[in-house]
């Protein structure tokens, strides 16, 4: 019997990628994707816990789903992802509508959990974290695919314990996926016409595969005699699949991105000229309190390494948090000056949101008033907008090779694609270009987008 599955994802790219794995697991159990809640038998929400607001958004969403469930009581509702892992069975009490709670490592169990609800009319919970699960043999159903770009998850979990962050608790320990299965997935995507893949992990640069994990696998390249495969090796092996396959990766913890990785970016035209290197703060005392393991000077040296090995044209973006515990005005100004120093192409910026159970919650006081957190945030946002414009203006009158991803979101008379530096370019439409590389000359820009013409 064919049943309908509605699945919605919040949070980071890992969650969107996981939802594709979930769709694949449930497909084998007879579920097809459906984009109407009211026509679905199973409704799954893949959730994020990174900030309080992210959780509030999910709770609001549950209210609207509740309206549908009232007129269709047999509909099964499940919470997946980080909120499921953080709150576990508590979610069942707090949100009466929820039938299933499944953490990020429990997705293979979903068919059983659903069956339990339907056949025994029991609520089901599985939030067991795994040391091994990478879902490596599951071929994702590409849900939101444009047929051109796709995510490949290469590692899971995080061992870093930044003091503000809930991820180590919701995603468990770090583990890397078998590189053969990663390469096969990438080759398969390329054969199907995809032209860009993003290698995903909370901490991609700490990808590490040693033969002890599985001594039966043989790979064409092994970086040293011990046979360990590091992220730089994986990046190079993926780059070699085809010069027409663009490779991106996210996210890099500054402490883990090595010069070997930077050299691969430099040496392979198809490894994109873009690094997301979250700084979080520009002040060394705050960085220490955040447990980021680097200080301001060390981070700036890393930026210098990028500029000297990859070159000035390499785009760099960051994440920042304002108003972390005890951050003084002067320490906030250090973040602004770090930004002036680097001139990022882009940043994701947030004010600090205390998360239960984290080191910062246990050890420090969340003592910066919300108005100050928000004011500091608006200061870094304004600065970033100026810097994004400065960086984008440098592209004017230059020519870029872009990969066409689809029609412009605003008008179908225009197409959109990205440069290697991850900048979105809008240009007048011509037929049959989606999924192709084109050369575009940039004519205008704002802080978010470039506007160009085909060469
Ligand atoms: N693994 C990635 C980050 C994942 S979370 C990395 O280490 O770079 C994405 C971003 O959310 C973080 O970089 C941080 O800037 C922000 N963030 C995490 N926890 C937060 C919190 N408690 N409050 C506000 N922002 C937070
Ligand atoms: Fe969170 Fe830090 Fe891990 Fe990133 S590296 S997921 S910020 S603990
Ligand atoms: Fe959110 Fe979990 Fe990703 S907390 S940012 S969905 S790893």
């Amino acid at each position: 019997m064919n049943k309908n599955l509605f699945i919605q994802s919040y949070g980071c790219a890992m969650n969107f990628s996981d939802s594709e794995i979930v769709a694949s697991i449930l497909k084998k159990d007879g579920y097809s994707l459906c984009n109407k809640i009211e026509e679905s038998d199973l409704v799954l929400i893949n959730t994020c816990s990174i900030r309080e607001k992210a959780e509030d958004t999910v709770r609001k969403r549950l209210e609207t789903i509740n309206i549908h469930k009232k007129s269709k009581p047999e509909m099964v509702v499940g919470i997946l992802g980080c909120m499921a892992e953080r709150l576990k069975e508590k979610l069942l009490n707090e949100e009466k509508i929820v039938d299933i709670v499944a953490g990020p490592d429990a997705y293979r169990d979903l068919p059983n959990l659903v069956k339990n609800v339907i056949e025994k009319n029991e609520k089901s919970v599985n939030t067991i974290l795994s040391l091994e699960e990478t879902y490596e043999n599951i071929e994702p159903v590409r849900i939101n695919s444009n047929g051109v770009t796709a995510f490949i998850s290469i590692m899971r979990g995080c061992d870093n314990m930044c003091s503000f962050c809930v991820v180590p608790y919701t995603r468990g320990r770090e583990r890397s996926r078998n590189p053969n299965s990663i390469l096969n997935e990438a080759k398969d995507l390329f054969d199907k016409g995809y032209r860009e893949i993003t290698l995903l992990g909370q901490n991609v640069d700490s990808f590490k595969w040693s033969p002890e994990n599985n001594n039966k696998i043989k790979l064409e390249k092994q970086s040293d005699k011990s046979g360990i495969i590091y992220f730089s090796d994986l990046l190079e092996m993926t780059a070699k699949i085809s010069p027409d396959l663009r490779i991106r990766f996210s996210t890099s913890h500054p402490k883990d991105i090595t010069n070997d990785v930077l050299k691969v970016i430099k040496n392979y035209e198809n490894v994109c000229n873009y690094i997301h290197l979250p700084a979080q703060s520009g002040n060394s005392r705050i960085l220490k309190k955040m447990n980021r393991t680097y200080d301001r000077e060390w981070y700036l040296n890393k930026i210098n390494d990028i500029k000297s090995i990859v070159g000035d044209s390499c785009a760099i973006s960051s994440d920042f948090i304002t108003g972390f515990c005890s951050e003084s005005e002067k320490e906030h100004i250090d973040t602004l000056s770090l930004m002036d120093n680097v001139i990022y192409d882009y940043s994701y910026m947030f004010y600090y949101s205390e998360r239960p159970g984290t080191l910062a919650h246990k050890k420090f006081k969340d003592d910066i008033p919300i108005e100050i957190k928000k004011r500091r945030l608006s200061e870094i946002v304004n600065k970033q907008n100026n810097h994004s414009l400065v960086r984008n203006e440098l592209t004017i009158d230059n020519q870029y090779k872009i990969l066409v991803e689809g029609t412009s979101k605003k008008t179908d008379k225009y197409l959109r694609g990205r440069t290697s530096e991850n900048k979105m370019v809008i240009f007048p439409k011509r037929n049959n270009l989606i999924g192709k590389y084109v050369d575009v000359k940039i004519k205008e820009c704002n802080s978010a987008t470039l506007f160009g013409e085909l060469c």
Side-chain angles (χ1 to χ4, degrees), residues 261-296:
V261 171
L262 301 180
K263 283 177 201 152
V264 176
I265 300 176
K266 170 77 185 167
N267 292 340
Y268 290 83
E269 201 253 341
N270 57 330
V271 178
C272 288
N273 213 9
Y274 167 59
I275 299 172
H276 183 55
L277 202 70
Q280 312 298 356
S281 163
N283 175 271
S284 295
R285 188 187 73 92
I286 293 294
L287 286 168
K288 188 152 200 277
K289 259 188 114 139
M290 287 177 162
N291 205 16
R292 287 292 285 183
T293 72
Y294 54 84
D295 61 12
R296 177 188 172 98

Side-chain angles (χ1 to χ4, degrees), residues 10-15 46-51 54 81-83 166-167 170-171 202:
Y10 293 92
C12 64
M14 286 296 288
N15 256 13
N46 201 350
T47 62
C48 174
S49 284
I50 200 82
R51 286 166 290 274
C82 292
M83 241 176 118
V166 77
V167 171
T170 62
R171 292 269 165 176
Q202 280 307 338

Side-chain angles (χ1 to χ4, degrees), residues 209-238:
W209 180 267
S210 56
E212 295 102 72
N213 293 24
N214 178 348
N215 56 24
K216 280 175 290 201
I217 71 155
K218 268 220 177 71
L219 287 148
E220 54 183 272
K221 167 153 188 179
Q222 299 198 324
S223 60
D224 60 31
K225 289 209 174 66
S226 65
I228 294 175
I229 295 176
Y230 294 99
F231 181 63
S232 57
D233 304 317
L234 179 73
L235 196 58
E236 186 165 17
M237 290 187 285
T238 331

